[in-house]
Amino acid sequence: MKSYFFLLLIMMFLSIDSTAQTTSYPKVLTVALDGSGNYKTIQSAIDAVRAYSPEHITINIKNGVYHEKIVVPAWVTNVSFVGESKEGTIIVNGDYSGKFMNADTVADKTKFGTFNSYTMYVHGNDISVKNITISNNAGRVGQAVALHVDGDRFEMENCNLLGNQDTLLTANDTARQYFVNCYIEGTTDFIFGNATAVFQNCTLKSLVESFITAASTTQQQQFGYVFQHCKLIADSSVKRTYLGRPWRAYAKVVFMDCEMDRNIRPEGWHNWGKAENEATAFYAEFNNTGAGANTEKRVAWSHVLSKNEAKQYTIENIFKGWKPAYGQGNITAK
């Protein structure tokens, strides 16, 4: 009798082990507010993804306004988020730096800071986002991030990033990030951080007279921000906007083949009140057009690339061998 139970126990363990080995994970998940998909929230779909998936996962998101604060953790990798439409698939949250994190402000006075004010935070590598609007609707209350990315090989195509101050945080000095056919708006420093990032065919809209970029590129990085074939526009009330200022001393920003509206200030760049930044920051332009593109009155410490210098700004050189799947996939100077 003991032998019988022993054999039965062994068979049960073998059965469990076999089941575990053959567990299959879905490659496509659908999120829909109306319950017609696999999940009703984006975060619940993310939480269901296999950690460090060896296979690519697609999370399709149906149209709707998703009031969520989303985190893609480091162990969620190799995932595409695809909205049904850019105009109809909206993720929105309203946290901002200085806002109390809890309702009981007497017992807990903890507040949000810039880095956790995000609507969506992407920490995992090999993440892509397409056809989605990501918004921080806190208003003009200070730093309020819509999208915070510090994952490597991040791609975003045909998306809207809406906010005011600090709309897009491109973090992590070892990260490579690519934005194509996107609309990004904000007030002050609305594209900021230390990642190596390329923006192609994007529209950047300044909502007030302030600064578009605040790069914090490190001294070790060869490239910082590269904008190509982008349109720089502004609200009708905006007359004078800086292209950027150095959040850190070695900021690097280049605008190539872009169309600049008349709101761009003749001097172009600002040193953030530190003259020493002028010797370390690298701000350059090449072959831009429009009323704001004239470089004759730019600050003396900025640069105009030669044609040979501009040819160094290729996807292969900038991203060190990584070629994004979306967009043109390359930069070629005219």
Side-chain angles (χ1 to χ4, degrees), residues 276-310:
E276 58 268 29
N277 286 340
E278 298 177 8
T280 53
F282 183 81
Y283 288 147
E285 300 171 62
F286 176 78
N287 201 42
N288 298 310
T289 60
N294 193 327
T295 59
E296 291 181 1
K297 296 183 179 180
R298 292 288 196 256
V299 293
W301 47 279
S302 66
H303 306 269
V304 176
L305 298 179
S306 69
K307 186 168 288 188
N308 283 337
E309 289 172 329

Side-chain angles (χ1 to χ4, degrees), residues 13 25 51 98 103 109 121 124 148 150 154 173 194 218 255 270 276 285 294:
F13 277 122
Y25 294 85
K109 296 185 182 297
Y121 170 65
H148 177 167
D150 64 12
F154 173 83
D173 60 7
N194 60 349
T218 65
F255 285 90
H270 192 277
E276 58 268 29
E285 300 171 62
N294 193 327

Side-chain angles (χ1 to χ4, degrees), residues 299-329:
V299 293
W301 47 279
S302 66
H303 306 269
V304 176
L305 298 179
S306 69
K307 186 168 288 188
N308 283 337
E309 289 172 329
K311 288 180 179 178
Q312 301 303 309
Y313 287 80
T314 66
I315 287 290
E316 287 80 6
N317 284 343
I318 296 169
F319 287 151
K320 309 302 181 188
W322 172 56
K323 186 173 182 179
Y326 292 158
Q328 299 176 8

Side-chain angles (χ1 to χ4, degrees), residues 190-313:
F190 61 93
I191 301 174
F192 73 113
N194 60 349
T196 298
V198 172
F199 300 80
Q200 286 186 333
N201 299 316
C202 292
T203 298
L204 317 178
K205 185 174 183 179
S206 297
L207 302 180
V208 300
E209 297 180 354
S210 195
F211 307 88
I212 296 173
T213 67
S216 55
T217 321
T218 65
Q219 186 176 4
Q220 291 72 33
Q221 290 170 261
Q222 184 179 357
F223 302 97
Y225 290 161
V226 178
F227 297 86
Q228 192 203 31
H229 296 302
C230 293
K231 290 185 177 181
L232 280 58
I233 63 175
D235 185 82
S236 59
S237 63
V238 176
K239 307 300 180 186
R240 295 168 68 81
T241 306
Y242 286 101
L243 293 169
R245 59 177 179 171
W247 182 19
R248 295 291 182 266
Y250 290 90
K252 295 180 178 69
V253 182
V254 176
F255 285 90
M256 307 175 64
D257 303 312
C258 292
E259 183 180 331
M260 299 183 176
D261 209 346
R262 62 181 68 254
N263 64 287
I264 301 301
R265 300 174 67 109
E267 62 269 43
W269 308 93
H270 192 277
N271 65 11
W272 206 311
K274 297 180 180 180
E276 58 268 29
N277 286 340
E278 298 177 8
T280 53
F282 183 81
Y283 288 147
E285 300 171 62
F286 176 78
N287 201 42
N288 298 310
T289 60
N294 193 327
T295 59
E296 291 181 1
K297 296 183 179 180
R298 292 288 196 256
V299 293
W301 47 279
S302 66
H303 306 269
V304 176
L305 298 179
S306 69
K307 186 168 288 188
N308 283 337
E309 289 172 329
K311 288 180 179 178
Q312 301 303 309
Y313 287 80

Side-chain angles (χ1 to χ4, degrees), residues 113-183:
T114 302
F115 302 116
N116 62 355
S117 67
Y118 55 80
T119 295
M120 184 172 184
Y121 170 65
V122 178
H123 188 57
N125 295 333
D126 299 298
I127 302 296
S128 64
V129 181
K130 185 175 183 178
N131 303 338
I132 294 174
T133 292
I134 302 173
S135 171
N136 188 313
N137 67 351
R140 297 182 184 178
V141 291
Q143 296 93 335
V145 175
L147 176 64
H148 177 167
V149 181
D150 64 12
D152 188 26
R153 297 182 298 273
F154 173 83
E155 301 181 55
M156 172 167 274
E157 181 182 23
N158 193 42
C159 290
N160 294 327
L161 296 177
L162 310 180
N164 287 281
Q165 185 173 351
D166 293 358
T167 304
L168 171 61
L169 171 52
T170 63
N172 189 346
D173 60 7
T174 63
R176 294 161 289 181
Q177 301 170 11
Y178 179 67
F179 301 82
V180 61
N181 298 329
C182 291
Y183 171 88

Side-chain angles (χ1 to χ4, degrees), residues 38-63:
N38 307 107
Y39 301 93
K40 288 186 177 181
T41 68
I42 300 168
Q43 190 64 57
S44 61
I46 294 169
D47 295 343
V49 170
R50 181 183 182 184
Y52 301 109
S53 173
E55 297 182 298
H56 183 263
I57 306 297
T58 299
I59 298 178
N60 291 317
I61 307 171
K62 291 191 176 182
N63 284 343

